[in-house]
Amino acid sequence: MNRDTICVQGGYTPGNGEPRQIPIIQSTTFKYATSEDMGKLFDLEAEGYFYSRLQNPTCDLVAKKICELEGGTAAMLTSSGQAANFFALFNICEAGDHIVASSTIYGGTFNLISVTMKKMGIEATFVDPLCTEEELDAAFRPNTKVVFGETIANPALTVLDIEKFARAAHAHGVPLVVDNTFPTPVNCRPFEWGADIVTHSTTKYMDGHGAVLGGAIVDSGRFDWMAYAEKFPGLCTPDESYHGITYAERFGKEGAFITKATAQLMRDFGSMQSPMNAYMLNLGLESLHVRMQRHCENGMAVAKFLEAHPKVAYVNYCGLESSPYHALAQKYLPKGSCGVVSFGLAGGREAASTFMRELKLAAIETHVADARTCCLNPASSTHRQMTDEQLAAAGVPAELVRMSCGLESSEDLIADIAQALEKV
């Protein structure tokens, strides 16, 4: 089916007399007639549910829709986008391993990799997304296990050259994980360009209404774990914590990754999505293809206005021909990128503060990708743990403002921006 149709009808086909909408299975547990019946589930020899910390029917139906949208073979929901990124990386890496990542990723994910996972014994090397192939190749070590990047970085709005990063990852026998939150599969499917695992913060455009937190992981089913068995013992040797199962042997390329993440990581960390959140996420998914078009139209209109304004020093939006990422956007995002625009005010940090204070329609929120326009100065909020040097290196200098254009009239959005700029 076309992606537009999958948004509406994917993941769930009701039978005769069954609910038209995905049912909410609001239950922690599931009843069985015998211990043997339940034992088959624990041994992964039968399909079914026994405890919602691991899997829930409502969550699985929504994960299936996202899997279909991305063109993958298996998927799972998590409690947040951060949980999805952590699970996707930790499902591959363990103490003593190494990650190669784009340097302009979201600050929270940068901190996850550079600080928290470092405490777990996992090192990382961060590379400029515009680095040469030689520079990217030099970042790898013998113990590198995965490459990570964001299709469109939040909030730097750099565009990842997915094919370049995929080539480098595969040349070293490791998978490429891509966070596809901002474009969503409506505007980009990283698997078509060589990515192996895709993650999402479903809190953003997929929900689209600022209602429910959530995350998702999708496996392309193409990476051959057993071909590099010595690199991935967690997938290619028996898991003694789960009945001695070797995931890559039992479930193959198509199912090993998600099965391990569910049976091992979700079991131990418990970062599950609730059935109610999954139900509400699905309501957002049903209009995703329609909303993304409007978000992109508003983003482009606002970006063009800002680019022509004398009080604006620069605008980051890959749809603009002046963007250094315009050619990559034309390649990977021909239908549009997203509704998020970032820009720097010529007056620096103080000007950014004044601008934020004077906005009337755009709300100051630690959020993006909402039906309502919201705005943020990352240096004073989400990225405040980073030094000025780190901010600059991550592409989010102190004067930068991130505006997530919602579904309102673009004329009203521009009028609000214009009156706020007058006060600067």
Side-chain angles (χ1 to χ4, degrees):
M1 291 187 293
N2 184 285
R3 270 171 275 184
D4 293 4
T5 305
I6 295 172
C7 283
V8 181
Q9 297 210 25
Y12 173 63
T13 302
N16 188 41
E18 293 183 344
R20 185 63 191 89
Q21 181 55 276
I22 287 177
I24 304 170
I25 308 300
Q26 192 66 40
S27 180
T28 59
T29 48
F30 302 83
K31 177 183 178 294
Y32 288 90
T34 70
S35 295
E36 288 73 21
D37 289 340
M38 182 175 285
K40 291 177 182 179
L41 300 176
F42 275 92
D43 288 341
L44 302 179
E45 294 177 352
E47 293 186 3
Y49 301 91
F50 52 83
Y51 197 55
S52 281
R53 186 174 83 234
L54 277 83
Q55 286 181 289
N56 174 280
T58 306
C59 295
D60 280 1
L61 290 171
V62 181
K64 184 180 178 183
K65 174 179 283 192
I66 295 173
C67 187
E68 291 177 11
L69 283 169
E70 285 287 7
T73 59
M76 64 188 294
L77 300 186
T78 63
S79 58
S80 68
Q82 279 295 82
N85 283 333
F86 174 64
F87 277 21
L89 295 173
F90 199 60
N91 204 36
I92 301 169
C93 299
E94 56 187 49
D97 288 343
H98 175 254
I99 296 170
V100 173
S102 170
S103 61
T104 59
I105 55 177
Y106 166 59
T109 310
F110 185 94
N111 194 75
L112 167 69
I113 296 171
S114 65
V115 178
T116 302
M117 295 188 75
K118 184 177 182 180
K119 293 177 181 178
M120 303 169 76
I122 301 168
E123 300 284 340
T125 297
F126 294 91
V127 296
D128 188 321
L130 289 179
C131 66
T132 65
E133 298 209 19
E134 292 73 21
E135 290 170 333
L136 180 55
D137 184 70
F140 285 81
R141 302 177 187 173
N143 61 336
T144 300
K145 297 298 175 67
V146 65
V147 180
F148 180 83
E150 295 174 353
T151 314
I152 303 174
N154 173 19
L157 300 181
T158 58
V159 178
L160 189 73
D161 189 341
I162 302 172
E163 282 193 317
K164 178 178 73 175
F165 276 73
R167 279 195 304 271
H170 297 158
H172 290 269
V174 302
L176 171 63
V177 176
V178 174
D179 184 328
N180 197 36
T181 295
F182 269 12
T184 80
V186 169
N187 285 340
C188 182
R189 295 212 289 189
F191 293 157
E192 296 175 353
W193 303 99
D196 301 290
I197 308 292
V198 161
T199 62
H200 286 277
S201 171
T202 62
T203 313
K204 309 304 190 298
Y205 286 118
M206 284 187 167
D207 165 42
H209 300 85
V212 290
L213 293 171
I217 309 172
V218 187
D219 184 7
S220 68
R222 293 200 298 254
F223 191 84
D224 190 350
W225 305 103
M226 291 302 292
Y228 308 96
E230 74 285 352
K231 285 181 177 288
F232 308 106
L235 284 151
C236 301
T237 60
D239 178 5
E240 298 305 331
S241 77
Y242 210 99
H243 313 296
I245 286 172
T246 300
Y247 297 101
E249 289 182 352
R250 175 78 71 86
F251 302 100
K253 293 186 293 184
E254 296 78 13
F257 186 86
I258 294 297
T259 303
K260 177 179 181 291
T262 301
Q264 190 182 88
L265 300 188
M266 191 64 83
R267 175 198 67 194
D268 294 346
F269 290 98
S271 300
M272 77 298 294
Q273 186 165 148
S274 74
M276 181 62 75
N277 278 21
Y279 174 85
M280 295 180 71
L281 166 60
N282 187 61
L283 295 180
L285 288 170
E286 289 178 351
S287 63
L288 179 63
H289 58 299
V290 180
R291 292 184 289 104
M292 285 306 296
Q293 182 177 352
R294 180 59 174 262
H295 282 298
C296 291
E297 290 172 355
N298 282 354
M300 179 63 81
V302 166
K304 287 182 176 179
F305 171 79
L306 290 167
E307 187 175 45
H309 200 285
K311 293 184 180 180
V312 177
Y314 57 85
V315 180
N316 300 322
Y317 192 72
C318 62
L320 296 173
E321 292 185 6
S322 59
S323 169
Y325 299 95
H326 183 69
L328 288 173
Q330 292 294 101
K331 175 181 178 178
Y332 295 117
L333 305 158
K335 295 172 63 177
S337 57
C338 64
V340 182
V341 181
S342 64
F343 54 98
L345 294 175
R349 185 188 288 266
E350 185 176 346
S353 177
T354 301
F355 173 79
M356 297 286 290
R357 187 172 59 249
E358 295 298 330
L359 287 170
K360 309 299 183 187
L361 183 61
I364 298 175
E365 299 177 17
T366 54
H367 190 45
V368 287
D370 197 329
R372 295 160 293 270
T373 295
C374 48
C375 202
L376 197 72
N377 174 223
S380 61
S381 53
T382 56
H383 288 58
R384 65 185 300 114
Q385 79 277 12
M386 300 172 70
T387 66
D388 283 354
E389 291 75 18
Q390 288 174 325
L391 287 168
V396 285
E399 75 279 0
L400 183 130
V401 173
R402 180 188 69 188
M403 178 168 284
S404 174
C405 300
L407 302 178
E408 305 93 344
S409 160
S410 60
E411 294 179 359
D412 290 341
L413 295 180
I414 290 172
D416 188 35
I417 294 168
Q419 67 83 24
L421 286 172
E422 288 178 4
K423 310 291 177 52
V424 172

